[in-house]
Amino acid sequence: MKLDAESEKQMQRGRVGVGPEPPKYLNEDFFKAALEDGLRDMRVDIKKIIFAESSGGGGENYCSKIYRAKALYRSSKRQLDEELALIVKSIAITPATQFLEELAVYLREKIFYFDVLGKLEVLIGDGSKFGAKCLYTTREPIQTIVFDDLTQYGYKLASRQSGLNEEHCVVILKKLGKFHASSMLLAEKEPSVREHFTTGMLDENYIRTNERFINFMTLQLRTLANLVAKWPGYEVLATKLHRHCDDIKENLVTTGRPLPGEITVLNHGDLWVNNFMYKYDDLQPTKPIDAIFVDFQNSFFGSPGCDINFFLNSSVQLDVLIHRREFLIQTYYASLRESLERMHSEFVPSYADIQHEIQARELYGFFSSYAFLPMVTMKKEDSYDISIEALTDQDFAKKKVQLMFSSNPRTTDTLRYALRRFDELGIFD
C-alpha cells in the first residue's frame, strides 16, 4: 500500500529491513493518538516514525499482522526528544479470520491489558511483570493494538524450532505459577472479572459452528493418524487416532469443557514458544533470568492443567519432557504455592490437587501435540508462507500439513513419545 508523500520519504530514509509494507492508516496521526493515549499526555509531537522488519510474518504469527515501529517524538510534559519502540498488532476481519471476531479476541485482549494486567502485577507485589504495556487500541479502520516493544528492554524470543531446554522451562513455569496465583486472588476479590474470560480457543459454540476450524483440525489429525500407521508397532494406536478423528467435534468440545469442581485460574490460553519472551543474564547471554507473556487473546478462567499441558506438549525439548516432567510440575507448583502464601490466600491447593488438574486435562495436551506442535516446530523456510488466509486454499493446506509433520525431526520424535504416553494414560479409550 502507498503512504502519503511525507510518510513515504520518512519510511525510505529510516526503514530497516523489508518488513511488511505498513498500511496507510499507520501514519503520524495514528501514532500521535497512540502516544497521547498511552503516555497520558495532552500533546505529543511526532518527529519521525521508522518501520522495522517485523519478527512476525510467515510462520511466526498466524492470525494477525505485526508491525514494528520506532517513534521519535517530543511530549509536552517533558519537552525532550525521546524515542519508543512499539509493536503494532492488527487483526483484519476477513472470511478467513471471521472466527477471531466470533471468539471476541480483540475485546478480550483489550480488557486483559487495560482492566486485568495491572491488577495482577499489583497483587503479586514483588515487581514481577506479566505483560508488555498496552498503549492504545482502536477498531477503526481495523482492530489494532499498540504495545511497548519488549525487545528494547532486552527481551527475546526463544527458538520455536528447537524448543525449550530445562533452564528456559523453569523460568517460564515460575512466572506462570505467579500469574495463575495472582489471578486466583483477583477472581476472589472481583468475581465479575470472570465474565470476560469464560472460554478460550476451544469454545463449545465455536467448535460446533465453525466448519473451517473443524476441517483443519481433521486434516491435521487425519494426516498424523496416516503417518503413525506407517510406524512399526504403532498400528493399534493409529486406529485409535482415526477413531478419535471420526468424532473430532465432540472430542474437542470435551477437551475444552469445564469440569465440575476444578480449580480455576486465568489461563494464558495459548502458551507456546512465540507467546513469551526471555531476558538473559548480561554476563551469561544464554542464561534466561526472566520471561514475559505476550498475546492474551485466548485467555480464559479454567483449570491450570490446560496451560500446563498445552505448554509441555508444544514447547519443551524431548529429553526434558521425558526425564524432567515431574520436576517441571514441581517447579510450577512451588511458585504457585509460595505466591499464594505470600498474598495470604485463604485457599492454597496441595501438590496432589495440581497433579490431579494436570491429569484431568491430558486431552488438552493431546490437542496441543497434533494441532500446534507440528506447526510450531516447522523450519522457517517451510513456514514462511503460512497464514490463516493462505490455509483456506485446500490444496495448499494439505501440502503444508504434510510438511508440518516432516519439516523438523523433533516433531515426529516428540510425537512417538507423546502418543505412546497418551495411550498408556488411556485418553483414547
Side-chain angles (χ1 to χ4, degrees):
M1 287 186 202
K2 279 281 174 243
L3 297 155
D4 59 73
E6 184 49 32
S7 302
E8 181 101 54
K9 275 190 296 217
Q10 289 188 1
M11 295 305 150
Q12 297 315 328
R13 267 204 311 269
R15 176 175 284 218
V16 196
V18 288
E21 186 70 15
K24 213 174 222 160
Y25 79 95
L26 295 183
N27 54 22
E28 281 192 14
D29 290 342
F30 173 88
F31 285 100
K32 180 176 168 65
L35 289 181
E36 285 175 349
D37 247 39
L39 302 174
R40 306 288 187 264
D41 198 314
M42 287 284 291
R43 181 159 172 233
V44 169
D45 290 324
I46 300 291
K47 305 288 183 189
K48 191 174 179 184
I49 300 294
I50 302 166
F51 279 85
E53 188 167 5
S54 165
S55 56
E60 307 300 326
N61 296 88
Y62 296 102
C63 302
S64 52
K65 286 216 161 45
I66 303 286
Y67 304 94
R68 299 184 67 191
K70 190 176 279 183
L72 308 177
Y73 68 95
R74 174 173 283 235
S75 75
S76 64
K77 271 198 253 181
R78 286 158 57 95
Q79 287 300 318
L80 293 168
D81 286 348
E82 299 179 74
E83 65 175 56
L84 189 60
L86 303 166
I87 294 283
V88 182
K89 174 179 174 178
S90 70
I91 307 168
I93 299 301
T94 65
T97 59
Q98 180 58 38
F99 73 96
L100 296 170
E101 190 81 333
E102 290 160 25
L103 288 171
V105 298
Y106 167 82
L107 180 62
R108 187 182 343 209
E109 190 154 42
K110 177 179 175 176
I111 290 168
F112 175 82
Y113 277 102
F114 287 134
D115 301 347
V116 178
L117 175 61
K119 290 174 183 172
L120 296 178
E121 290 177 347
V122 167
L123 279 169
I124 198 70
D126 64 357
S128 288
K129 288 264 169 250
F130 295 128
K133 179 178 165 67
C134 179
L135 293 138
Y136 182 66
T137 68
T138 179
R139 279 181 170 274
E140 299 299 328
I142 60 175
Q143 297 178 355
T144 306
I145 307 186
V146 181
F147 304 100
D148 212 1
D149 185 348
L150 291 169
T151 59
Q152 68 197 318
Y153 311 114
Y155 285 86
K156 292 192 270 227
L157 287 173
S159 162
R160 63 181 174 86
Q161 287 86 1
S162 311
L164 303 175
N165 64 14
E166 184 179 317
E167 221 176 355
H168 282 76
C169 291
V170 164
V171 170
I172 193 69
L173 287 169
K174 282 181 176 174
K175 184 60 75 86
L176 186 66
K178 291 181 177 193
F179 179 72
H180 284 172
S182 54
S183 74
M184 287 168 75
L185 237 78
L186 182 62
E188 210 176 284
K189 289 176 188 291
E190 293 180 33
S192 63
V193 74
R194 293 171 173 275
E195 289 165 19
H196 301 291
F197 302 95
T198 50
T199 55
M201 61 175 84
L202 292 181
D203 172 77
E204 180 167 353
N205 180 54
Y206 167 63
I207 293 166
R208 294 200 184 284
T209 56
N210 194 301
E211 284 308 308
R212 205 179 284 231
F213 173 69
I214 290 301
N215 291 343
F216 191 63
M217 291 299 105
T218 303
L219 174 62
Q220 283 188 288
L221 187 50
R222 199 64 84 190
T223 305
L224 174 61
N226 289 331
L227 174 69
V228 171
K230 296 175 188 154
W231 297 348
Y234 280 78
E235 297 79 6
V236 175
L237 223 164
T239 307
K240 290 181 182 182
L241 292 176
H242 278 300
R243 200 171 58 217
H244 191 90
C245 194
D246 293 340
D247 201 12
I248 195 164
K249 201 177 274 191
E250 289 310 314
N251 281 320
L252 283 169
V253 167
T254 303
T255 302
R257 188 179 275 152
L259 297 172
E262 68 187 355
I263 293 166
T264 56
V265 301
L266 182 61
N267 278 261
H268 174 279
D270 194 4
L271 205 56
W272 66 281
V273 184
N274 275 17
N275 282 339
F276 36 88
M277 296 176 79
Y278 287 98
K279 190 171 196 169
Y280 293 87
D281 189 297
D282 288 339
L283 300 174
Q284 301 174 67
T286 58
K287 181 185 166 68
I289 53 171
D290 187 32
I292 289 187
F293 303 108
V294 296
D295 199 350
F296 291 91
Q297 62 188 30
N298 289 300
S299 299
F300 67 98
F301 274 94
S303 166
C306 298
D307 261 355
I308 292 169
N309 281 308
F310 193 95
F311 168 75
L312 291 174
N313 286 281
S314 63
S315 305
V316 180
Q317 290 176 4
L318 181 56
D319 62 323
V320 181
L321 210 49
I322 294 171
H323 302 294
R324 303 295 279 164
R325 183 189 208 97
E326 190 69 18
F327 169 73
L328 294 182
I329 294 167
Q330 287 165 354
T331 300
Y332 162 81
Y333 176 69
S335 173
L336 178 84
R337 190 196 66 223
E338 193 259 325
S339 301
L340 288 169
E341 286 171 351
R342 200 161 33 83
M343 292 185 288
H344 307 293
S345 171
E346 285 174 23
F347 172 59
V348 179
S350 68
Y351 183 56
D353 290 336
I354 293 301
Q355 282 179 306
H356 171 74
E357 292 298 331
I358 294 168
Q359 284 153 8
R361 288 297 186 174
E362 288 285 356
L363 264 177
Y364 219 90
F366 172 58
F367 163 66
S368 170
S369 74
Y370 74 80
F372 282 81
L373 174 75
M375 205 182 277
V376 165
T377 54
M378 283 181 94
K379 290 182 182 147
K380 270 198 164 70
E381 61 268 27
D382 294 333
S383 66
Y384 74 95
D385 54 353
I386 292 184
S387 67
I388 291 288
E389 249 79 22
L391 290 170
T392 57
D393 177 322
Q394 284 184 334
D395 292 334
F396 176 84
K398 268 198 187 114
K399 195 178 87 193
K400 282 295 170 186
V401 170
Q402 289 286 350
L403 196 54
M404 277 174 202
F405 289 98
S406 60
S407 172
N408 185 339
R410 180 183 153 220
T411 309
T412 43
D413 290 348
T414 302
L415 284 166
R416 279 176 202 272
Y417 163 74
L419 293 174
R420 271 267 186 263
R421 185 180 163 275
F422 288 134
D423 192 29
E424 284 161 12
L425 292 169
I427 74 162
F428 305 124
D429 302 328

